[in-house]
Amino acid sequence: MSALWLEFILILCFYGTAWTDADVEGVVRKHVGQSVTIQCRSTSNQETLNLKKGLHEERDIFYATVHSDKRTIDSKFTDRLQYHEKFPNVEILIKNLTLNDTGPYWCVYKTIENYGQKITKGSGSVLLVVTEKPSTVVVRECQPPQNDMVLWAVVIAAAVLILILSIPLIMMILKTKPSHNTVKRRQQVPVNDVYEDMRGTIRR
C-alpha cells in the first residue's frame, strides 16, 4: 500500500512541476533489475545536456557538451549507465534498476544566447517508478486421473450400492421362511391314524 501512495504522490508532484515547463513523456514503470531508456531530444542547437533527477533537479546523473567528447556520469550510475548520442539527441540507458532509482528524470539543455545562458527542458523527461518483482506463484496443472482408478472407483461404488439395497431384501426373506421345528412337528403327526382306528373297529 505504501508503494502505491509513494507512486501517487510522485505523479502529482511531477506533473504539478513539469506540466507547463517540459514536454513530459509520462510515467515509466519498471521492476527491480530491469532497464529503462530515457531519450532526451531537442529541436534547436544546444551547448550542453544535463540529465537531472529529483523534483527540484538536485542531482546530475549525466552531463554532455557539444564542444567536448568527455561525458560525466554520477558515481552511483557509472557501472549501470550507457549512452548513445548524436548531440543534442542522446539516448541514455540505465540498467539494473533499484528502488532508489524511483523519481523524475529531466532532460535539461543549456545554450548561450546574447551573452547569456538559456536553460530549456527538452523532450524525454519521465517519472520512473521502480517496484519489487511480483512474487512468482507456481501453478501446477491438475492431471486427469488414470482410467484404471476411475474404473475401480465405479466398481466399488456399485458394489456398495448393491449391498445396501440387498440388506432389506435378505431381512424380508428371513422373516417369511418357516422355522425348522415347525416342519418337524408336522412330519411327526401321523396322517392315517383315523383310518386305521376305523379299520380296526370293522375287523372286530
Side-chain angles (χ1 to χ4, degrees):
M1 184 63 71
S2 60
L4 293 175
W5 276 109
L6 176 61
E7 181 178 349
F8 179 70
I9 292 170
L10 283 173
I11 291 171
L12 286 180
C13 293
F14 181 67
Y15 278 104
T17 307
W19 186 261
T20 57
D21 296 335
D23 185 6
V24 178
E25 296 296 325
V27 180
V28 178
R29 294 176 177 85
K30 296 289 182 178
H31 293 308
V32 171
Q34 291 185 328
S35 302
V36 64
T37 299
I38 301 172
Q39 297 180 341
C40 294
R41 298 286 184 265
S42 179
T43 56
S44 58
N45 294 329
Q46 302 291 345
E47 302 285 333
T48 64
L49 164 66
N50 279 79
L51 178 65
K52 293 179 174 287
K53 180 188 174 188
L55 293 175
H56 303 290
E57 307 170 19
E58 58 270 17
R59 186 170 183 179
D60 291 327
I61 304 299
F62 174 82
Y63 173 78
T65 176
V66 69
H67 301 296
S68 173
D69 294 333
K70 185 178 179 180
R71 303 294 180 249
T72 304
I73 301 173
D74 184 279
S75 59
K76 291 187 178 180
F77 289 85
T78 303
D79 299 330
R80 301 190 292 130
L81 190 146
Q82 296 177 353
Y83 60 91
H84 305 282
E85 62 175 292
K86 187 176 181 182
F87 201 89
N89 301 323
V90 182
E91 187 175 284
I92 301 168
L93 172 68
I94 303 175
K95 302 184 295 182
N96 195 21
L97 293 171
T98 67
L99 294 176
N100 293 330
D101 293 329
T102 296
Y105 290 78
W106 311 90
C107 298
V108 180
Y109 287 95
K110 294 180 182 178
T111 186
I112 297 175
E113 289 184 357
N114 300 326
Y115 303 100
Q117 198 175 54
K118 182 180 179 182
I119 300 174
T120 58
K121 289 192 177 77
S123 63
S125 300
V126 297
L127 170 60
L128 174 63
V129 179
V130 184
T131 58
E132 293 282 358
K133 290 183 179 179
S135 58
T136 55
V137 179
V138 178
V139 179
R140 295 182 179 178
E141 295 183 358
C142 296
Q143 296 181 353
Q146 297 180 357
N147 293 333
D148 294 341
M149 296 295 293
V150 174
L151 182 60
W152 276 109
V154 172
V155 170
I156 292 172
V160 171
L161 183 61
I162 291 171
L163 181 62
I164 292 173
L165 294 176
S166 63
I167 288 175
L169 183 61
I170 293 171
M171 296 297 293
M172 289 176 59
I173 292 172
L174 291 176
K175 285 182 179 180
T176 56
K177 186 176 180 181
S179 65
H180 186 65
N181 294 333
T182 306
V183 174
K184 279 188 176 180
R185 286 174 186 172
R186 287 181 180 176
Q187 289 177 353
Q188 290 175 358
V189 175
V191 179
N192 298 326
D193 286 347
V194 177
Y195 296 107
E196 288 180 359
D197 292 340
M198 291 177 66
R199 286 177 186 176
T201 306
I202 293 171
R203 286 176 185 174
R204 290 177 187 174

